[in-house]
Each structure stands twice: as C-alpha cells, then as structure tokens.
Amino acid sequence: MKKVFYGLLALSLTFILVACGGNSDNGDTTPSTNDRIQVVATFSIIADMVHQIAGDLVDVYTIVPIGQNPEDHHILPSDMMAASNAHIIFYNGLNLETDGDWFANLMSSTSQVAGVDYFRVTAGITPLLLQTEGLEAYEDPHAWLNLLYGIAYVNNITSVLSDFSPEHAPIFQANAEAYTSKLLALHNEWIGRFDNIPDDERILVTSEGAFRYFAEVYGLNVAYIWELNAEEEGTPEQMIALINAVNASNVRSLFAESSIDDQYINQISTETGVEVFATIFTDSISEPSGPAPTYYEMMRFNLETIYAGLTR
C-alpha cells in the first residue's frame, strides 16, 4: 500500500482554524458561516448526490478535488478546517479512503465520531471482494458504478440529512424520490443492452479494475492491469497478463480512465494493436464544462461510451 505523508496532521488546531484554501464546490474556499447545513464529502460523486438531495440547503466541501483519486489523498489544512466545522461528513468506505488511513487520521485529528459526525454512504450494500492474490479480504470500493447501489447511496444520505434537519426532511425526501426515479430509469434503459455483443467482444478493458460492480449488473466481462489503485500498479507481470488476455479476445476497444495515468493503457494498445477508444469516469465526475458534471451524467456517459466502443 502507498504511504501518505501526514506531517500536516501535526499542525496545531489553532493554525488550522484560520487556514484558507480548499475544494469548496461553489468556489468559496472558506467554510460558510450562513445557516446552510455544512457538509463535507470525501469525493465529488458523493458531493453531487448531496446537492441533488439538498440543493441550496447545504454547503458542500469536497475533500478530494474533481479528477483526482480518492484512494490516495494528502490532507490539507483546508480539509482539517472543513472537517472541524462540518455538521455532517459523508464517506464511501469499502476500502476507498483507507490507503494510508488518511480519512481515519482526519476524523481522529478533528475529534469526529462515527455515526454522530461522519457516516458511511455504502451502509447496507453487500460488497464485492478483491480477487488479487493476497488482497482477497479487501472490499472493492467502487459500488457507485452500479446504479442500483448509487440509489442506495442516495437513500443513506437522505436518511442522515433528514435526521439532522427534520424540518427540511420533506424536501430532502421529495428530491431524493425524484432523483432515484431518474437513476432507476437510466438503469432500466440499459439492462440487457450489452447482451447482443458476443462474449469475446463484450470485455471492458481498463487500467484499474474498477468496473466489476458495473460489469456484474450490465452483463460485461472485465480485464484490467491492476485491480485497485492502492496496490502495485503496472508491473511487467500485470502488463503481460493483460496483453495476452486482449490478444486472446476479439475486443474492439480499450478504455482510459479520467483519474488514472493513461500511459499504461496506451502501452497495452501499442502492444496489441487495439485502440484506446475513449476516456471514461470512475472515481470522479468531470468539471462542469466536461461531459460528466453530475453522477447521473457520468453514468449515462459511461454506458453510452462503453457500448459504442465495444460495438464499433
């Protein structure tokens, strides 16, 4: 596992509380002092879900910036300040924020209490376990890539917000109902759509093995260089194994990922002659001007892009 430098955690809380800067989604890097509920989300997908449910009733600070990997984060003074001032903190769990224990250290350093101050949005989800030798006890964190599990995230977030602010619970619940109906409609639109692709072409090839939840529900096979970003990445053995798998198939496209260095998948493309068709999204939505600025649009983009690449 990579080691994360935690020297910043030794900063005094006095310094932290006057520090500025961060990843507030509204461009104001200083946590708000208005009457909105102050929410911290570990990464952009959770932050977007909170916005869909609560709208202008919340200010959301996103710890891991858009486009970056939430599995490996260096804590900033602004993260400490936001966590200290938050009413509610949401995290994914399932082995996502555990590389170097950065999230656990952040919660400990700011005296936050599980189930009181911070909440796991994957509660109630049955996780897939990793398949890499030696990591079989670890949970695969990428449950949001199954839209039905994304709906479970929404329900968990709605429950926490409603308990915190009962006077706004009807608004949260109405918004969540409309949002989950939209997500469910997208899911139903794509169930069975990949079934017309032959098995040896119906393979989603990426650098990280993040799409197992996605593949399980939409009927795909997956092939990848490494399984989780926290493990050793791009070793010769991993590269050779994927090159052999691609050469043994009739897959038509490879896919880069928005938060992963594309040098590895490009090397697979060079060695196999199979083109990298597009960049898809795993651990982050896109910037507002990009093709996937919300979770819903991210999932639609991925579904449409993967289908187009596998069937071209």
Side-chain angles (χ1 to χ4, degrees), residues 128-132 140 142 145 194 198-227 241-242 244-246 249 251 253-255 257 265 280 282 306 310:
L128 298 174
L129 299 179
L130 300 184
Q131 298 178 323
T132 301
D140 184 330
H142 303 95
L145 290 171
F194 291 92
D199 281 347
D200 63 349
E201 300 174 14
R202 199 193 316 152
I203 305 171
L204 176 55
V205 182
T206 55
S207 295
E208 184 191 13
F211 278 87
R212 288 177 59 215
Y213 290 98
F214 181 97
E216 183 178 63
V217 73
Y218 300 115
L220 297 172
N221 303 305
V222 293
Y224 44 82
I225 305 172
W226 63 85
E227 189 169 20
L242 185 57
N244 291 338
V246 172
S249 74
V251 69
S253 297
L254 313 179
F255 296 89
E257 298 124 290
I265 200 68
I280 52 180
T282 52
I306 292 166
L310 296 183

Side-chain angles (χ1 to χ4, degrees), residues 13 15-25 28-33 37-42 59-64 73 75-90 102-103 106-107 109-112 117-118:
L13 191 57
F15 172 78
I16 292 301
L17 291 176
V18 298
C20 293
N23 310 309
S24 174
D25 55 14
D28 179 3
T29 57
T30 303
S32 172
T33 57
I37 302 168
Q38 301 303 301
V39 175
V40 168
T42 51
D59 285 331
V60 185
Y61 177 93
T62 309
I63 294 175
V64 179
H73 178 66
I75 297 172
L76 302 174
S78 54
D79 301 333
M80 298 279 285
M81 180 172 64
S84 295
N85 293 337
H87 297 124
I88 299 169
I89 301 168
F90 289 117
W102 70 261
F103 181 74
L106 178 60
M107 295 299 95
S109 297
T110 54
S111 301
Q112 306 302 315
D117 305 302
Y118 65 97

Side-chain angles (χ1 to χ4, degrees), residues 239-296:
M239 299 291 286
I240 291 169
L242 185 57
I243 289 167
N244 291 338
V246 172
N247 285 336
S249 74
N250 287 313
V251 69
R252 301 182 184 186
S253 297
L254 313 179
F255 296 89
E257 298 124 290
S258 60
S259 56
I260 305 292
D261 189 334
D262 63 4
Q263 64 171 312
Y264 301 101
I265 200 68
N266 285 337
Q267 186 176 341
I268 299 296
S269 177
T270 298
E271 296 293 332
T272 62
V274 180
E275 182 182 356
V276 176
F277 178 73
T279 298
I280 52 180
F281 294 85
T282 52
D283 299 322
S284 172
I285 59 177
S286 72
E287 296 287 352
S289 60
T294 68
Y295 171 66
Y296 173 86

Side-chain angles (χ1 to χ4, degrees), residues 2-188:
K2 298 174 187 168
K3 295 186 184 291
V4 178
F5 175 68
Y6 285 107
L8 287 171
L9 294 179
L11 294 173
S12 70
L13 191 57
T14 301
F15 172 78
I16 292 301
L17 291 176
V18 298
C20 293
N23 310 309
S24 174
D25 55 14
N26 60 8
D28 179 3
T29 57
T30 303
S32 172
T33 57
N34 60 30
D35 292 333
R36 295 190 184 99
I37 302 168
Q38 301 303 301
V39 175
V40 168
T42 51
F43 69 120
S44 61
I45 291 168
I46 296 176
D48 176 64
M49 290 177 173
V50 173
H51 267 307
Q52 301 299 327
I53 298 162
D56 292 338
L57 294 173
V58 295
D59 285 331
V60 185
Y61 177 93
T62 309
I63 294 175
V64 179
I66 286 175
Q68 294 188 20
N69 179 6
E71 293 165 37
D72 182 10
H73 178 66
H74 294 254
I75 297 172
L76 302 174
S78 54
D79 301 333
M80 298 279 285
M81 180 172 64
S84 295
N85 293 337
H87 297 124
I88 299 169
I89 301 168
F90 289 117
Y91 74 111
N92 187 80
L94 302 186
N95 200 42
L96 184 70
E97 301 97 345
T98 52
D99 187 18
D101 289 331
W102 70 261
F103 181 74
N105 279 305
L106 178 60
M107 295 299 95
S108 176
S109 297
T110 54
S111 301
Q112 306 302 315
V113 178
V116 176
D117 305 302
Y118 65 97
F119 302 86
R120 181 167 64 90
V121 298
T122 51
I125 288 175
T126 301
L128 298 174
L129 299 179
L130 300 184
Q131 298 178 323
T132 301
E133 184 177 356
L135 298 177
E136 297 92 346
Y138 287 88
E139 298 157 329
D140 184 330
H142 303 95
W144 64 85
L145 290 171
N146 174 339
L147 278 161
L148 295 180
Y149 284 163
I151 290 172
Y153 281 42
V154 172
N155 290 337
N156 286 330
I157 292 167
T158 302
S159 178
V160 172
L161 289 171
S162 297
D163 287 345
F164 179 82
S165 182
E167 67 272 24
H168 295 122
I171 296 173
F172 300 147
Q173 291 160 11
N175 289 344
E177 183 176 351
Y179 183 41
T180 56
S181 294
K182 184 177 177 181
L183 294 174
L184 183 60
L186 180 61
H187 167 77
N188 289 336

